[in-house]
PDB file of all heavy atoms in Angstrom:
ATOM      1  N   MET A   1     188.193  92.399  72.925  1.00 95.00           N
ATOM      2  CA  MET A   1     188.815  91.513  73.908  1.00 95.00           C
ATOM      3  C   MET A   1     188.434  91.906  75.331  1.00 95.00           C
ATOM      4  O   MET A   1     188.323  91.049  76.210  1.00 95.00           O
ATOM      5  CB  MET A   1     190.335  91.544  73.736  1.00 95.00           C
ATOM      6  CG  MET A   1     191.075  90.602  74.669  1.00 95.00           C
ATOM      7  SD  MET A   1     192.836  90.421  74.268  1.00 95.00           S
ATOM      8  CE  MET A   1     193.416  92.090  74.554  1.00 95.00           C
ATOM      9  N   ALA A   2     188.243  93.206  75.575  1.00 93.00           N
ATOM     10  CA  ALA A   2     187.866  93.662  76.910  1.00 93.00           C
ATOM     11  C   ALA A   2     186.485  93.167  77.313  1.00 93.00           C
ATOM     12  O   ALA A   2     186.193  93.030  78.501  1.00 93.00           O
ATOM     13  CB  ALA A   2     187.911  95.188  76.975  1.00 93.00           C
ATOM     14  N   GLU A   3     185.623  92.884  76.323  1.00 91.00           N
ATOM     15  CA  GLU A   3     184.288  92.344  76.606  1.00 91.00           C
ATOM     16  C   GLU A   3     183.793  91.587  75.372  1.00 91.00           C
ATOM     17  O   GLU A   3     183.054  92.127  74.556  1.00 91.00           O
ATOM     18  CB  GLU A   3     183.309  93.462  76.964  1.00 91.00           C
ATOM     19  CG  GLU A   3     181.965  92.941  77.447  1.00 91.00           C
ATOM     20  CD  GLU A   3     180.967  94.052  77.736  1.00 91.00           C
ATOM     21  OE1 GLU A   3     181.312  95.230  77.579  1.00 91.00           O
ATOM     22  OE2 GLU A   3     179.831  93.722  78.106  1.00 91.00           O
ATOM     23  N   PRO A   4     184.205  90.329  75.212  1.00 90.00           N
ATOM     24  CA  PRO A   4     183.833  89.570  74.008  1.00 90.00           C
ATOM     25  C   PRO A   4     182.328  89.413  73.821  1.00 90.00           C
ATOM     26  O   PRO A   4     181.859  89.217  72.700  1.00 90.00           O
ATOM     27  CB  PRO A   4     184.505  88.211  74.234  1.00 90.00           C
ATOM     28  CG  PRO A   4     185.621  88.486  75.180  1.00 90.00           C
ATOM     29  CD  PRO A   4     185.119  89.568  76.072  1.00 90.00           C
ATOM     30  N   ALA A   5     181.565  89.475  74.908  1.00 85.00           N
ATOM     31  CA  ALA A   5     180.119  89.289  74.811  1.00 85.00           C
ATOM     32  C   ALA A   5     179.372  90.595  74.556  1.00 85.00           C
ATOM     33  O   ALA A   5     178.144  90.617  74.621  1.00 85.00           O
ATOM     34  CB  ALA A   5     179.590  88.645  76.090  1.00 85.00           C
ATOM     35  N   GLN A   6     180.100  91.669  74.257  1.00 83.00           N
ATOM     36  CA  GLN A   6     179.458  92.969  74.118  1.00 83.00           C
ATOM     37  C   GLN A   6     178.398  92.983  73.018  1.00 83.00           C
ATOM     38  O   GLN A   6     177.284  93.476  73.216  1.00 83.00           O
ATOM     39  CB  GLN A   6     180.495  94.051  73.834  1.00 83.00           C
ATOM     40  CG  GLN A   6     179.899  95.443  73.672  1.00 83.00           C
ATOM     41  CD  GLN A   6     180.956  96.504  73.438  1.00 83.00           C
ATOM     42  OE1 GLN A   6     182.135  96.265  73.598  1.00 83.00           O
ATOM     43  NE2 GLN A   6     180.531  97.686  73.052  1.00 83.00           N
ATOM     44  N   ASN A   7     178.738  92.445  71.839  1.00 79.00           N
ATOM     45  CA  ASN A   7     177.767  92.453  70.736  1.00 79.00           C
ATOM     46  C   ASN A   7     176.527  91.643  71.082  1.00 79.00           C
ATOM     47  O   ASN A   7     175.397  92.055  70.783  1.00 79.00           O
ATOM     48  CB  ASN A   7     178.420  91.911  69.462  1.00 79.00           C
ATOM     49  CG  ASN A   7     179.426  92.886  68.867  1.00 79.00           C
ATOM     50  OD1 ASN A   7     179.377  94.084  69.143  1.00 79.00           O
ATOM     51  ND2 ASN A   7     180.338  92.376  68.061  1.00 79.00           N
ATOM     52  N   SER A   8     176.723  90.482  71.719  1.00 83.00           N
ATOM     53  CA  SER A   8     175.577  89.666  72.128  1.00 83.00           C
ATOM     54  C   SER A   8     174.754  90.384  73.180  1.00 83.00           C
ATOM     55  O   SER A   8     173.522  90.356  73.152  1.00 83.00           O
ATOM     56  CB  SER A   8     176.068  88.314  72.671  1.00 83.00           C
ATOM     57  OG  SER A   8     176.774  87.599  71.692  1.00 83.00           O
ATOM     58  N   ARG A   9     175.431  91.049  74.107  1.00 86.00           N
ATOM     59  CA  ARG A   9     174.715  91.787  75.159  1.00 86.00           C
ATOM     60  C   ARG A   9     173.856  92.895  74.569  1.00 86.00           C
ATOM     61  O   ARG A   9     172.713  93.101  74.977  1.00 86.00           O
ATOM     62  CB  ARG A   9     175.733  92.380  76.144  1.00 86.00           C
ATOM     63  CG  ARG A   9     175.133  93.301  77.184  1.00 86.00           C
ATOM     64  CD  ARG A   9     176.167  93.740  78.199  1.00 86.00           C
ATOM     65  NE  ARG A   9     177.286  94.417  77.600  1.00 86.00           N
ATOM     66  CZ  ARG A   9     177.264  95.698  77.199  1.00 86.00           C
ATOM     67  NH1 ARG A   9     176.153  96.412  77.314  1.00 86.00           N
ATOM     68  NH2 ARG A   9     178.340  96.254  76.679  1.00 86.00           N
ATOM     69  N   VAL A  10     174.399  93.596  73.584  1.00 85.00           N
ATOM     70  CA  VAL A  10     173.644  94.682  72.960  1.00 85.00           C
ATOM     71  C   VAL A  10     172.429  94.135  72.211  1.00 85.00           C
ATOM     72  O   VAL A  10     171.328  94.679  72.302  1.00 85.00           O
ATOM     73  CB  VAL A  10     174.559  95.482  72.013  1.00 85.00           C
ATOM     74  CG1 VAL A  10     173.736  96.477  71.188  1.00 85.00           C
ATOM     75  CG2 VAL A  10     175.623  96.231  72.805  1.00 85.00           C
ATOM     76  N   ARG A  11     172.633  93.025  71.471  1.00 85.00           N
ATOM     77  CA  ARG A  11     171.514  92.437  70.729  1.00 85.00           C
ATOM     78  C   ARG A  11     170.418  91.958  71.673  1.00 85.00           C
ATOM     79  O   ARG A  11     169.223  92.209  71.445  1.00 85.00           O
ATOM     80  CB  ARG A  11     172.015  91.273  69.862  1.00 85.00           C
ATOM     81  CG  ARG A  11     172.762  91.708  68.624  1.00 85.00           C
ATOM     82  CD  ARG A  11     172.928  90.541  67.657  1.00 85.00           C
ATOM     83  NE  ARG A  11     173.736  89.473  68.250  1.00 85.00           N
ATOM     84  CZ  ARG A  11     175.040  89.375  68.107  1.00 85.00           C
ATOM     85  NH1 ARG A  11     175.702  90.276  67.419  1.00 85.00           N
ATOM     86  NH2 ARG A  11     175.708  88.370  68.653  1.00 85.00           N
ATOM     87  N   VAL A  12     170.811  91.266  72.745  1.00 90.00           N
ATOM     88  CA  VAL A  12     169.827  90.792  73.714  1.00 90.00           C
ATOM     89  C   VAL A  12     169.131  91.970  74.384  1.00 90.00           C
ATOM     90  O   VAL A  12     167.920  91.952  74.614  1.00 90.00           O
ATOM     91  CB  VAL A  12     170.501  89.887  74.764  1.00 90.00           C
ATOM     92  CG1 VAL A  12     169.543  89.563  75.899  1.00 90.00           C
ATOM     93  CG2 VAL A  12     170.999  88.601  74.122  1.00 90.00           C
ATOM     94  N   GLY A  13     169.898  93.020  74.689  1.00 90.00           N
ATOM     95  CA  GLY A  13     169.319  94.200  75.328  1.00 90.00           C
ATOM     96  C   GLY A  13     168.250  94.861  74.476  1.00 90.00           C
ATOM     97  O   GLY A  13     167.220  95.321  74.996  1.00 90.00           O
ATOM     98  N   VAL A  14     168.460  94.910  73.176  1.00 91.00           N
ATOM     99  CA  VAL A  14     167.459  95.500  72.275  1.00 91.00           C
ATOM    100  C   VAL A  14     166.163  94.701  72.320  1.00 91.00           C
ATOM    101  O   VAL A  14     165.061  95.269  72.422  1.00 91.00           O
ATOM    102  CB  VAL A  14     168.014  95.560  70.835  1.00 91.00           C
ATOM    103  CG1 VAL A  14     166.912  95.946  69.858  1.00 91.00           C
ATOM    104  CG2 VAL A  14     169.155  96.575  70.753  1.00 91.00           C
ATOM    105  N   TRP A  15     166.281  93.367  72.258  1.00 91.00           N
ATOM    106  CA  TRP A  15     165.075  92.530  72.301  1.00 91.00           C
ATOM    107  C   TRP A  15     164.368  92.638  73.651  1.00 91.00           C
ATOM    108  O   TRP A  15     163.131  92.629  73.716  1.00 91.00           O
ATOM    109  CB  TRP A  15     165.434  91.073  72.006  1.00 91.00           C
ATOM    110  CG  TRP A  15     165.710  90.821  70.559  1.00 91.00           C
ATOM    111  CD1 TRP A  15     166.911  90.581  69.973  1.00 91.00           C
ATOM    112  CD2 TRP A  15     164.743  90.813  69.502  1.00 91.00           C
ATOM    113  NE1 TRP A  15     166.770  90.416  68.623  1.00 91.00           N
ATOM    114  CE2 TRP A  15     165.447  90.549  68.301  1.00 91.00           C
ATOM    115  CE3 TRP A  15     163.362  90.998  69.450  1.00 91.00           C
ATOM    116  CZ2 TRP A  15     164.817  90.475  67.070  1.00 91.00           C
ATOM    117  CZ3 TRP A  15     162.725  90.916  68.229  1.00 91.00           C
ATOM    118  CH2 TRP A  15     163.438  90.657  67.055  1.00 91.00           C
ATOM    119  N   VAL A  16     165.151  92.743  74.733  1.00 93.00           N
ATOM    120  CA  VAL A  16     164.547  92.902  76.063  1.00 93.00           C
ATOM    121  C   VAL A  16     163.767  94.207  76.145  1.00 93.00           C
ATOM    122  O   VAL A  16     162.641  94.252  76.672  1.00 93.00           O
ATOM    123  CB  VAL A  16     165.632  92.844  77.157  1.00 93.00           C
ATOM    124  CG1 VAL A  16     165.067  93.280  78.502  1.00 93.00           C
ATOM    125  CG2 VAL A  16     166.199  91.441  77.264  1.00 93.00           C
ATOM    126  N   LEU A  17     164.324  95.287  75.626  1.00 93.00           N
ATOM    127  CA  LEU A  17     163.634  96.577  75.657  1.00 93.00           C
ATOM    128  C   LEU A  17     162.365  96.549  74.808  1.00 93.00           C
ATOM    129  O   LEU A  17     161.328  97.117  75.184  1.00 93.00           O
ATOM    130  CB  LEU A  17     164.578  97.678  75.172  1.00 93.00           C
ATOM    131  CG  LEU A  17     165.735  98.031  76.114  1.00 93.00           C
ATOM    132  CD1 LEU A  17     166.655  99.056  75.460  1.00 93.00           C
ATOM    133  CD2 LEU A  17     165.202  98.573  77.436  1.00 93.00           C
ATOM    134  N   LEU A  18     162.441  95.878  73.650  1.00 93.00           N
ATOM    135  CA  LEU A  18     161.237  95.755  72.813  1.00 93.00           C
ATOM    136  C   LEU A  18     160.162  94.955  73.524  1.00 93.00           C
ATOM    137  O   LEU A  18     158.970  95.304  73.480  1.00 93.00           O
ATOM    138  CB  LEU A  18     161.606  95.089  71.481  1.00 93.00           C
ATOM    139  CG  LEU A  18     162.447  95.928  70.511  1.00 93.00           C
ATOM    140  CD1 LEU A  18     162.853  95.094  69.308  1.00 93.00           C
ATOM    141  CD2 LEU A  18     161.682  97.172  70.070  1.00 93.00           C
ATOM    142  N   PHE A  19     160.561  93.858  74.197  1.00 92.00           N
ATOM    143  CA  PHE A  19     159.607  93.053  74.942  1.00 92.00           C
ATOM    144  C   PHE A  19     158.970  93.860  76.073  1.00 92.00           C
ATOM    145  O   PHE A  19     157.749  93.809  76.276  1.00 92.00           O
ATOM    146  CB  PHE A  19     160.291  91.807  75.509  1.00 92.00           C
ATOM    147  CG  PHE A  19     159.439  91.052  76.491  1.00 92.00           C
ATOM    148  CD1 PHE A  19     158.409  90.231  76.062  1.00 92.00           C
ATOM    149  CD2 PHE A  19     159.666  91.181  77.862  1.00 92.00           C
ATOM    150  CE1 PHE A  19     157.616  89.537  76.972  1.00 92.00           C
ATOM    151  CE2 PHE A  19     158.886  90.496  78.771  1.00 92.00           C
ATOM    152  CZ  PHE A  19     157.853  89.678  78.325  1.00 92.00           C
ATOM    153  N   LEU A  20     159.788  94.593  76.811  1.00 93.00           N
ATOM    154  CA  LEU A  20     159.265  95.385  77.915  1.00 93.00           C
ATOM    155  C   LEU A  20     158.310  96.473  77.412  1.00 93.00           C
ATOM    156  O   LEU A  20     157.292  96.764  78.047  1.00 93.00           O
ATOM    157  CB  LEU A  20     160.421  96.018  78.707  1.00 93.00           C
ATOM    158  CG  LEU A  20     161.286  95.060  79.513  1.00 93.00           C
ATOM    159  CD1 LEU A  20     162.449  95.806  80.151  1.00 93.00           C
ATOM    160  CD2 LEU A  20     160.455  94.353  80.579  1.00 93.00           C
ATOM    161  N   GLY A  21     158.655  97.068  76.256  1.00 94.00           N
ATOM    162  CA  GLY A  21     157.758  98.073  75.681  1.00 94.00           C
ATOM    163  C   GLY A  21     156.415  97.468  75.295  1.00 94.00           C
ATOM    164  O   GLY A  21     155.354  98.047  75.576  1.00 94.00           O
ATOM    165  N   LEU A  22     156.444  96.288  74.644  1.00 93.00           N
ATOM    166  CA  LEU A  22     155.207  95.620  74.263  1.00 93.00           C
ATOM    167  C   LEU A  22     154.415  95.189  75.491  1.00 93.00           C
ATOM    168  O   LEU A  22     153.185  95.359  75.551  1.00 93.00           O
ATOM    169  CB  LEU A  22     155.532  94.400  73.392  1.00 93.00           C
ATOM    170  CG  LEU A  22     154.341  93.549  72.932  1.00 93.00           C
ATOM    171  CD1 LEU A  22     153.388  94.391  72.072  1.00 93.00           C
ATOM    172  CD2 LEU A  22     154.822  92.331  72.154  1.00 93.00           C
ATOM    173  N   PHE A  23     155.108  94.645  76.501  1.00 92.00           N
ATOM    174  CA  PHE A  23     154.434  94.205  77.720  1.00 92.00           C
ATOM    175  C   PHE A  23     153.808  95.387  78.459  1.00 92.00           C
ATOM    176  O   PHE A  23     152.745  95.251  79.071  1.00 92.00           O
ATOM    177  CB  PHE A  23     155.427  93.487  78.631  1.00 92.00           C
ATOM    178  CG  PHE A  23     154.812  92.962  79.897  1.00 92.00           C
ATOM    179  CD1 PHE A  23     154.038  91.808  79.891  1.00 92.00           C
ATOM    180  CD2 PHE A  23     154.982  93.635  81.100  1.00 92.00           C
ATOM    181  CE1 PHE A  23     153.463  91.330  81.054  1.00 92.00           C
ATOM    182  CE2 PHE A  23     154.407  93.178  82.269  1.00 92.00           C
ATOM    183  CZ  PHE A  23     153.643  92.013  82.252  1.00 92.00           C
ATOM    184  N   THR A  24     154.445  96.556  78.400  1.00 94.00           N
ATOM    185  CA  THR A  24     153.885  97.750  79.042  1.00 94.00           C
ATOM    186  C   THR A  24     152.548  98.128  78.416  1.00 94.00           C
ATOM    187  O   THR A  24     151.587  98.468  79.115  1.00 94.00           O
ATOM    188  CB  THR A  24     154.879  98.920  78.937  1.00 94.00           C
ATOM    189  OG1 THR A  24     156.098  98.575  79.602  1.00 94.00           O
ATOM    190  CG2 THR A  24     154.304 100.185  79.562  1.00 94.00           C
ATOM    191  N   VAL A  25     152.480  98.045  77.092  1.00 93.00           N
ATOM    192  CA  VAL A  25     151.216  98.359  76.396  1.00 93.00           C
ATOM    193  C   VAL A  25     150.139  97.347  76.779  1.00 93.00           C
ATOM    194  O   VAL A  25     148.981  97.709  77.069  1.00 93.00           O
ATOM    195  CB  VAL A  25     151.438  98.375  74.872  1.00 93.00           C
ATOM    196  CG1 VAL A  25     150.102  98.546  74.143  1.00 93.00           C
ATOM    197  CG2 VAL A  25     152.403  99.486  74.490  1.00 93.00           C
ATOM    198  N   VAL A  26     150.493  96.048  76.793  1.00 91.00           N
ATOM    199  CA  VAL A  26     149.525  95.005  77.151  1.00 91.00           C
ATOM    200  C   VAL A  26     149.047  95.188  78.595  1.00 91.00           C
ATOM    201  O   VAL A  26     147.836  95.094  78.887  1.00 91.00           O
ATOM    202  CB  VAL A  26     150.164  93.613  76.963  1.00 91.00           C
ATOM    203  CG1 VAL A  26     149.243  92.524  77.500  1.00 91.00           C
ATOM    204  CG2 VAL A  26     150.467  93.360  75.491  1.00 91.00           C
ATOM    205  N   ALA A  27     150.000  95.445  79.508  1.00 92.00           N
ATOM    206  CA  ALA A  27     149.625  95.632  80.914  1.00 92.00           C
ATOM    207  C   ALA A  27     148.727  96.855  81.097  1.00 92.00           C
ATOM    208  O   ALA A  27     147.765  96.836  81.891  1.00 92.00           O
ATOM    209  CB  ALA A  27     150.885  95.772  81.769  1.00 92.00           C
ATOM    210  N   TRP A  28     148.992  97.905  80.357  1.00 91.00           N
ATOM    211  CA  TRP A  28     148.188  99.136  80.438  1.00 91.00           C
ATOM    212  C   TRP A  28     146.760  98.874  79.977  1.00 91.00           C
ATOM    213  O   TRP A  28     145.791  99.283  80.608  1.00 91.00           O
ATOM    214  CB  TRP A  28     148.857 100.228  79.609  1.00 91.00           C
ATOM    215  CG  TRP A  28     148.028 101.472  79.447  1.00 91.00           C
ATOM    216  CD1 TRP A  28     147.505 102.257  80.429  1.00 91.00           C
ATOM    217  CD2 TRP A  28     147.600 102.036  78.213  1.00 91.00           C
ATOM    218  NE1 TRP A  28     146.790 103.302  79.895  1.00 91.00           N
ATOM    219  CE2 TRP A  28     146.837 103.187  78.519  1.00 91.00           C
ATOM    220  CE3 TRP A  28     147.800 101.707  76.860  1.00 91.00           C
ATOM    221  CZ2 TRP A  28     146.262 103.988  77.544  1.00 91.00           C
ATOM    222  CZ3 TRP A  28     147.256 102.512  75.899  1.00 91.00           C
ATOM    223  CH2 TRP A  28     146.486 103.630  76.236  1.00 91.00           C
ATOM    224  N   ARG A  29     146.602  98.135  78.873  1.00 89.00           N
ATOM    225  CA  ARG A  29     145.263  97.848  78.352  1.00 89.00           C
ATOM    226  C   ARG A  29     144.532  96.875  79.273  1.00 89.00           C
ATOM    227  O   ARG A  29     143.313  96.974  79.474  1.00 89.00           O
ATOM    228  CB  ARG A  29     145.358  97.267  76.939  1.00 89.00           C
ATOM    229  CG  ARG A  29     145.923  98.211  75.892  1.00 89.00           C
ATOM    230  CD  ARG A  29     145.275  99.583  75.919  1.00 89.00           C
ATOM    231  NE  ARG A  29     143.823  99.474  75.769  1.00 89.00           N
ATOM    232  CZ  ARG A  29     142.957 100.412  76.130  1.00 89.00           C
ATOM    233  NH1 ARG A  29     143.406 101.514  76.731  1.00 89.00           N
ATOM    234  NH2 ARG A  29     141.666 100.254  75.952  1.00 89.00           N
ATOM    235  N   LEU A  30     145.260  95.886  79.831  1.00 89.00           N
ATOM    236  CA  LEU A  30     144.623  94.972  80.783  1.00 89.00           C
ATOM    237  C   LEU A  30     144.160  95.712  82.026  1.00 89.00           C
ATOM    238  O   LEU A  30     143.059  95.453  82.548  1.00 89.00           O
ATOM    239  CB  LEU A  30     145.605  93.861  81.174  1.00 89.00           C
ATOM    240  CG  LEU A  30     145.836  92.754  80.145  1.00 89.00           C
ATOM    241  CD1 LEU A  30     146.954  91.826  80.610  1.00 89.00           C
ATOM    242  CD2 LEU A  30     144.556  91.959  79.898  1.00 89.00           C
ATOM    243  N   ASN A  31     144.960  96.623  82.517  1.00 88.00           N
ATOM    244  CA  ASN A  31     144.578  97.403  83.690  1.00 88.00           C
ATOM    245  C   ASN A  31     143.332  98.223  83.414  1.00 88.00           C
ATOM    246  O   ASN A  31     142.407  98.302  84.256  1.00 88.00           O
ATOM    247  CB  ASN A  31     145.730  98.319  84.081  1.00 88.00           C
ATOM    248  CG  ASN A  31     145.418  99.161  85.302  1.00 88.00           C
ATOM    249  OD1 ASN A  31     145.361  98.662  86.424  1.00 88.00           O
ATOM    250  ND2 ASN A  31     145.215 100.464  85.087  1.00 88.00           N
ATOM    251  N   ALA A  32     143.261  98.796  82.198  1.00 87.00           N
ATOM    252  CA  ALA A  32     142.062  99.574  81.847  1.00 87.00           C
ATOM    253  C   ALA A  32     140.828  98.681  81.756  1.00 87.00           C
ATOM    254  O   ALA A  32     139.721  99.063  82.164  1.00 87.00           O
ATOM    255  CB  ALA A  32     142.293 100.291  80.505  1.00 87.00           C
ATOM    256  N   ALA A  33     140.995  97.455  81.226  1.00 86.00           N
ATOM    257  CA  ALA A  33     139.871  96.531  81.104  1.00 86.00           C
ATOM    258  C   ALA A  33     139.379  96.048  82.472  1.00 86.00           C
ATOM    259  O   ALA A  33     138.171  95.909  82.710  1.00 86.00           O
ATOM    260  CB  ALA A  33     140.258  95.337  80.238  1.00 86.00           C
ATOM    261  N   PHE A  34     140.304  95.787  83.396  1.00 86.00           N
ATOM    262  CA  PHE A  34     139.928  95.306  84.734  1.00 86.00           C
ATOM    263  C   PHE A  34     139.168  96.352  85.540  1.00 86.00           C
ATOM    264  O   PHE A  34     138.273  96.038  86.324  1.00 86.00           O
ATOM    265  CB  PHE A  34     141.155  94.863  85.520  1.00 86.00           C
ATOM    266  CG  PHE A  34     141.793  93.596  84.975  1.00 86.00           C
ATOM    267  CD1 PHE A  34     143.156  93.333  85.170  1.00 86.00           C
ATOM    268  CD2 PHE A  34     141.054  92.662  84.258  1.00 86.00           C
ATOM    269  CE1 PHE A  34     143.739  92.189  84.665  1.00 86.00           C
ATOM    270  CE2 PHE A  34     141.636  91.509  83.756  1.00 86.00           C
ATOM    271  CZ  PHE A  34     142.971  91.266  83.959  1.00 86.00           C
ATOM    272  N   TRP A  35     139.499  97.624  85.364  1.00 86.00           N
ATOM    273  CA  TRP A  35     138.960  98.688  86.197  1.00 86.00           C
ATOM    274  C   TRP A  35     137.870  99.541  85.514  1.00 86.00           C
ATOM    275  O   TRP A  35     137.398 100.508  86.088  1.00 86.00           O
ATOM    276  CB  TRP A  35     140.085  99.624  86.643  1.00 86.00           C
ATOM    277  CG  TRP A  35     141.016  98.973  87.625  1.00 86.00           C
ATOM    278  CD1 TRP A  35     142.144  98.291  87.348  1.00 86.00           C
ATOM    279  CD2 TRP A  35     140.876  98.946  89.046  1.00 86.00           C
ATOM    280  NE1 TRP A  35     142.746  97.810  88.487  1.00 86.00           N
ATOM    281  CE2 TRP A  35     141.979  98.219  89.575  1.00 86.00           C
ATOM    282  CE3 TRP A  35     139.945  99.463  89.941  1.00 86.00           C
ATOM    283  CZ2 TRP A  35     142.172  97.984  90.920  1.00 86.00           C
ATOM    284  CZ3 TRP A  35     140.134  99.245  91.312  1.00 86.00           C
ATOM    285  CH2 TRP A  35     141.220  98.515  91.782  1.00 86.00           C
TER     286      TRP A  35
END
Protein backbone atom coordinates (compact mmCIF):
# COMPACT_ATOMS: atom_id res chain seq x y z
CA MET A 1 0.00 0.00 0.00
CA ALA A 2 2.91 2.36 0.69
CA GLU A 3 3.98 1.97 -2.97
CA PRO A 4 1.52 -0.02 -5.13
CA ALA A 5 3.72 0.42 -8.21
CA GLN A 6 6.77 -1.10 -6.53
CA ASN A 7 6.61 -4.46 -8.33
CA SER A 8 6.11 -2.75 -11.70
CA ARG A 9 8.95 -0.34 -10.96
CA VAL A 10 11.30 -3.20 -10.15
CA ARG A 11 10.35 -5.12 -13.31
CA VAL A 12 10.79 -2.06 -15.51
CA GLY A 13 14.08 -1.26 -13.77
CA VAL A 14 15.48 -4.70 -14.59
CA TRP A 15 14.64 -4.30 -18.28
CA VAL A 16 16.12 -0.78 -18.31
CA LEU A 17 19.38 -2.05 -16.82
CA LEU A 18 19.53 -4.89 -19.35
CA PHE A 19 18.93 -2.43 -22.19
CA LEU A 20 21.61 -0.06 -20.91
CA GLY A 21 24.06 -2.96 -20.57
CA LEU A 22 23.38 -4.10 -24.15
CA PHE A 23 23.56 -0.52 -25.46
CA THR A 24 26.91 -0.04 -23.69
CA VAL A 25 28.37 -3.02 -25.55
CA VAL A 26 26.99 -1.76 -28.90
CA ALA A 27 28.28 1.77 -28.27
CA TRP A 28 31.71 0.42 -27.30
CA ARG A 29 32.00 -1.65 -30.50
CA LEU A 30 30.74 1.25 -32.64
CA ASN A 31 33.30 3.56 -31.07
CA ALA A 32 36.05 1.04 -31.83
CA ALA A 33 34.86 0.73 -35.45
CA PHE A 34 34.73 4.52 -35.99
CA TRP A 35 38.24 5.13 -34.63
